[in-house]
């Protein structure tokens, strides 16, 4: 039985807008903008919390910086969202 492909996210700086672009299986157009790379990677990790994924992070010069591998979280409370009071 073949496995589904691992979702891939990409975080890179977009100088024309001065923001960090997160591309992958996110948002209506497959990308979201953030003010910093940390927030973009954090959202990708949250978005892929129930599946495995990889996040490729690039620096402001477009050079590969780091690959982050995320494992699926199988804990009971992983997908539990509670309303704030």
């Amino acid at each position: 039985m073949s496995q589904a492909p691992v979702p891939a996210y990409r975080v890179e700086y977009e100088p024309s807008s001065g923001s960090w672009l997160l591309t992958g299986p996110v948002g209506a157009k497959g990308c979201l903008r953030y003010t910093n790379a940390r927030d973009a990677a954090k959202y990708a990790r949250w978005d892929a919390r129930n599946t495995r994924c990889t996040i490729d992070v690039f620096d402001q010069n477009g050079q590969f910086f780091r690959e982050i591998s995320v494992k699926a979280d199988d804990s009971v409370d992983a997908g539990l969202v509670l309303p704030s009071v």
Side-chain angles (χ1 to χ4, degrees):
M1 182 184 283
S2 64
Q3 293 182 338
V6 176
Y9 297 82
R10 185 178 174 110
V11 176
E12 56 192 327
Y13 186 69
E14 189 173 79
S16 62
S17 66
S19 61
W20 289 87
L21 188 65
L22 170 62
T23 56
V26 296
K29 295 182 180 181
C31 64
L32 296 171
R33 295 184 191 282
Y34 290 87
T35 55
N36 59 60
R38 183 181 306 256
D39 287 345
K42 187 176 176 181
Y43 181 83
R45 289 179 74 120
W46 176 84
D47 189 56
R49 67 193 175 278
N50 295 322
T51 61
R52 291 182 2 213
C53 82
T54 61
I55 306 167
D56 292 331
V57 181
F58 294 82
D59 66 15
Q60 287 182 320
N61 299 319
Q63 301 295 318
F64 179 76
F65 177 72
R66 182 177 183 193
E67 179 183 83
I68 302 169
S69 295
V70 178
K71 295 180 182 178
D73 186 357
D74 294 331
S75 68
V76 174
D77 295 335
L80 184 62
V81 177
L82 298 174
S84 60
V85 179

